[in-house]
Amino acid sequence: MKKIMILGGGQYSKQVFHTLADAGFVTICVDRDPQAPCGALADVFYPVDIMDLEGVCAIARSTHTDGIMAINDFGTRTASYVAGELSLAGLPIETVDAANDKGRMRDVWSKQGLAQPQYRVFKTLEELKEMTEQIGFPCVVKPTESGGGGRGVSVLRSPDDIAWAYQFAQPYVRNGRFIVEEYVEGIEMTIESFSNGGEVTILAMSDKAKPDLRTRVATSLNYPAAFSRVILKQVRNLVIAAVKAIGVQIGMAHTEVIVASDGPKLVELGARGGGGHIFHTIIEAVSGFNAPVQTARILTGMQVTIPELTDNGAVYRFFTPSRGILKGVRNLEAAALLEGILDIGLTKNIGDLVGDFENSLQRTGFVVTKGQTREAAIVVADRAESMVEFIVDPC
């Protein structure tokens, strides 16, 4: 039986451990939280920070692990380091550095001539003021590296937004660098891909619904993406080129694109599967490809065969209650019984502030649905969302 070390044991990762156990893998969970939800699901659990390179490497060496899997951005550098030290399958550090730092990422894509917004990297508020004069308004400010989840991302409509955007991003900046980008009007997409020996296979593509908020947090991902075959082919070709340019030779990549009036443009890429339910539930529901198992197989040196992929419907919907203190929730259990529900739940507790869309980590809850078509999955998601009632004290 192959041993796979998984970096991260949070609530959203439970299904990864269940799936790998069912496939016959011995799972080793590493998470700094001694009470990590996945700790009890793994065969072995170590309460160690996944960013502790030497600590994780020592565990991998002592347990004779056959492969190491990062399921979020914070673990990708550690996975790369451990794989290099122990001669395991993995990505080179140059690849994960480019995938984590949006400035480096865009520099790589720029050298390849790939379609993307104009951008500038900066460090200070004064530099941002200069850069916005070059980029123009509206524009987008982000940390170049924040760990994902939309942390510190905002849209600037005028010079009056500059100071606020800088201060909003600053707490999430991990390397002292920010990036300002041209704002591209269009519909955002997420694209999941799997690389095997440099051959990139597109597994699932969604389009996003986003409210007109400064922080631009998505409220729904709908599969498959509703674009013409011509546009979808352009997106596929662009994403494959982007994944190869960054250097993701094996395993998952999660890429985001904006489809503008003049064609698709790259937003960003993560050298791991999509977050939340995407990696372990949605990809398989849409395509029939079991991403956790196939990723574990390729990382432990086993053969991987890409099956004939399907293109079923799925929806990843996020609840949007009004802003206030959560006092109660009604009909969640009833909604869970609807046909086509893959999962439904809350990410906030009674007494928490809800309706504050600072980033994707502040969402209140979710429903994941499936259907033979996109439209069928949307119908189920709409019905579930209409059933669930949030009791909120405004604030």
Side-chain angles (χ1 to χ4, degrees), residues 62-124:
S62 67
T63 56
H64 304 287
T65 189
D66 297 300
I68 182 166
M69 180 192 300
I71 52 179
N72 58 45
D73 290 330
F74 293 111
T76 54
R77 283 197 177 91
T78 303
S80 173
Y81 175 79
V82 173
E85 288 292 302
L86 303 185
S87 299
L88 302 174
L91 299 174
I93 191 63
E94 296 82 6
T95 292
V96 296
D97 278 344
N100 280 293
D101 185 310
K102 295 177 177 64
R104 294 186 182 187
M105 183 187 303
R106 293 214 175 279
D107 288 345
V108 170
W109 288 338
S110 179
K111 289 178 182 178
Q112 295 295 318
L114 302 181
Q116 62 178 337
Q118 297 181 57
Y119 68 98
R120 302 287 189 278
V121 174
F122 65 94
K123 292 184 177 181
T124 68

Side-chain angles (χ1 to χ4, degrees), residues 12-144:
Y12 277 125
S13 301
K14 284 183 174 181
Q15 189 58 42
V16 173
F17 285 84
H18 287 304
T19 301
L20 292 177
D22 290 345
F25 285 92
V26 175
T27 56
I28 303 166
C29 178
V30 180
D31 191 297
R32 67 180 179 182
D33 181 4
Q35 305 301 318
C38 294
L41 302 178
D43 293 288
V44 188
F45 172 57
Y46 292 89
V48 173
D49 192 331
I50 64 173
M51 297 178 69
D52 179 353
L53 302 183
E54 296 299 339
V56 174
C57 191
I59 295 168
R61 184 178 284 111
S62 67
T63 56
H64 304 287
T65 189
D66 297 300
I68 182 166
M69 180 192 300
I71 52 179
N72 58 45
D73 290 330
F74 293 111
T76 54
R77 283 197 177 91
T78 303
S80 173
Y81 175 79
V82 173
E85 288 292 302
L86 303 185
S87 299
L88 302 174
L91 299 174
I93 191 63
E94 296 82 6
T95 292
V96 296
D97 278 344
N100 280 293
D101 185 310
K102 295 177 177 64
R104 294 186 182 187
M105 183 187 303
R106 293 214 175 279
D107 288 345
V108 170
W109 288 338
S110 179
K111 289 178 182 178
Q112 295 295 318
L114 302 181
Q116 62 178 337
Q118 297 181 57
Y119 68 98
R120 302 287 189 278
V121 174
F122 65 94
K123 292 184 177 181
T124 68
L125 179 59
E126 289 305 312
E127 288 176 341
L128 174 57
K129 292 176 181 178
E130 295 176 10
M131 300 303 182
T132 55
E133 291 180 2
Q134 299 173 24
I135 296 291
F137 294 96
C139 58
V140 181
V141 165
K142 312 173 184 179
T144 59

Side-chain angles (χ1 to χ4, degrees), residues 184-197:
V184 177
E185 190 69 52
I187 297 174
E188 289 193 31
M189 294 180 62
T190 66
I191 301 94
E192 309 303 318
S193 63
F194 185 82
S195 297
N196 186 355

Side-chain angles (χ1 to χ4, degrees), residues 80-374:
S80 173
Y81 175 79
V82 173
E85 288 292 302
L86 303 185
S87 299
L88 302 174
L91 299 174
I93 191 63
E94 296 82 6
T95 292
V96 296
D97 278 344
N100 280 293
D101 185 310
K102 295 177 177 64
R104 294 186 182 187
M105 183 187 303
R106 293 214 175 279
D107 288 345
V108 170
W109 288 338
S110 179
K111 289 178 182 178
Q112 295 295 318
L114 302 181
Q116 62 178 337
Q118 297 181 57
Y119 68 98
R120 302 287 189 278
V121 174
F122 65 94
K123 292 184 177 181
T124 68
L125 179 59
E126 289 305 312
E127 288 176 341
L128 174 57
K129 292 176 181 178
E130 295 176 10
M131 300 303 182
T132 55
E133 291 180 2
Q134 299 173 24
I135 296 291
F137 294 96
C139 58
V140 181
V141 165
K142 312 173 184 179
T144 59
E145 183 172 348
S146 66
R151 296 173 176 93
V153 179
S154 66
V155 177
L156 290 70
R157 301 288 178 182
S158 74
D160 294 339
D161 295 330
I162 292 175
W164 184 92
Y166 184 83
Q167 292 167 2
F168 180 69
Q170 197 166 36
Y172 303 103
V173 174
R174 299 175 55 81
N175 59 1
R177 286 156 41 96
F178 305 72
I179 189 169
V180 58
E181 302 172 354
E182 169 194 9
Y183 178 82
V184 177
E185 190 69 52
I187 297 174
E188 289 193 31
M189 294 180 62
T190 66
I191 301 94
E192 309 303 318
S193 63
F194 185 82
S195 297
N196 186 355
E199 185 69 25
V200 181
T201 300
I202 301 300
L203 302 172
M205 299 192 287
S206 81
D207 53 56
K208 292 184 179 183
K210 283 195 168 188
D212 189 20
L213 298 174
R214 178 184 281 185
T215 51
R216 301 291 290 159
V217 177
T219 55
S220 190
L221 277 62
N222 305 312
Y223 299 80
F227 291 100
S228 69
R229 290 185 179 181
V230 172
I231 293 296
L232 292 177
K233 183 177 180 180
Q234 291 175 357
V235 171
R236 284 175 177 271
N237 291 341
L238 179 61
V239 170
I240 289 170
V243 170
K244 289 182 175 180
I246 294 297
V248 181
Q249 293 286 313
I250 64 168
M252 296 295 303
H254 171 82
T255 309
E256 302 194 356
V257 164
I258 294 179
V259 178
S261 58
D262 57 346
K265 291 180 169 56
L266 292 164
V267 176
E268 60 187 34
L269 176 150
R272 38 78 185 168
H277 289 71
I278 296 174
F279 177 54
H280 57 65
T281 297
I282 293 175
I283 292 173
E284 186 170 15
V286 172
S287 69
F289 183 86
N290 189 320
V293 169
Q294 298 304 332
T295 302
R297 288 181 64 87
I298 201 168
L299 292 175
T300 57
M302 300 172 71
Q303 185 176 355
V304 172
T305 302
I306 306 295
E308 183 176 350
L309 301 178
T310 57
D311 201 19
N312 298 321
V315 170
Y316 200 0
R317 180 75 54 82
F318 302 99
F319 297 124
T320 56
S322 57
R323 191 176 191 278
I325 302 301
L326 184 62
K327 294 298 182 181
V329 181
R330 295 175 181 153
N331 302 324
L332 189 69
E333 295 80 6
L337 299 177
L338 292 174
E339 185 177 356
I341 298 288
L342 292 173
D343 198 7
I344 187 169
L346 301 178
T347 49
K348 293 287 188 178
N349 298 313
I350 302 301
D352 286 347
L353 175 67
V354 297
D356 187 7
F357 299 103
E358 182 175 301
N359 56 55
S360 63
L361 305 179
Q362 299 301 319
R363 291 166 173 150
T364 303
F366 60 86
V367 58
V368 184
T369 70
K370 67 175 182 178
Q372 287 189 336
T373 65
R374 167 194 171 96

